[in-house]
Amino acid sequence: PEPPAAPARRGRWLLVRVTDTDTGKTRVNVRLPLNVVEAGMKMGMRFSPEIQDIDPGQLMAVINSGEIGHIVDVFDEKDGEHVEVYIE
């Protein structure tokens, strides 16, 4: 008989980092426990027009899937920003 499979490692944190592509300085560096992300996302969407285009259902599906790693990695040349969102 085979030994039982080890439980998959699930992410515990959602991290958002925005870096200035010209200077390399970090503009935003936020680390949130996954269990508060949904409530925080709803509040953030009301106050931050930059994230209004994000589909909260799609983001929550990724979070609930248990995957870890980058879920968004975008270079915004117009604003000179590198935006990373990942789960660890």
Side-chain angles (χ1 to χ4, degrees), residues 38 41-42 45 51-61:
E38 188 169 14
M41 187 170 42
K42 288 177 183 175
M45 289 180 140
I51 63 171
Q52 288 181 352
D53 293 334
I54 295 174
D55 178 354
Q58 186 178 14
L59 180 58
M60 290 311 300

Side-chain angles (χ1 to χ4, degrees), residues 1-85:
E2 291 188 29
R9 184 173 158 239
R10 293 183 61 90
R12 296 181 51 197
W13 301 95
L14 178 78
L15 292 96
V16 178
R17 182 180 308 145
V18 179
T19 307
D20 185 308
T21 56
D22 294 329
T23 65
K25 290 186 178 182
T26 301
R27 292 183 183 172
V28 176
N29 192 13
V30 178
R31 183 177 182 191
L32 298 171
L34 286 178
N35 59 357
V36 299
V37 168
E38 188 169 14
M41 187 170 42
K42 288 177 183 175
M43 284 190 331
M45 289 180 140
R46 291 184 14 216
F47 299 107
S48 184
E50 298 86 14
I51 63 171
Q52 288 181 352
D53 293 334
I54 295 174
D55 178 354
Q58 186 178 14
L59 180 58
M60 290 311 300
V62 171
I63 290 170
N64 292 329
S65 75
E67 290 188 39
I68 57 174
H70 275 89
I71 56 176
V72 175
D73 192 358
V74 177
F75 285 91
D76 183 342
E77 292 181 24
K78 178 183 169 198
D79 292 333
E81 294 178 336
H82 178 205
V83 179
E84 299 172 275
V85 179

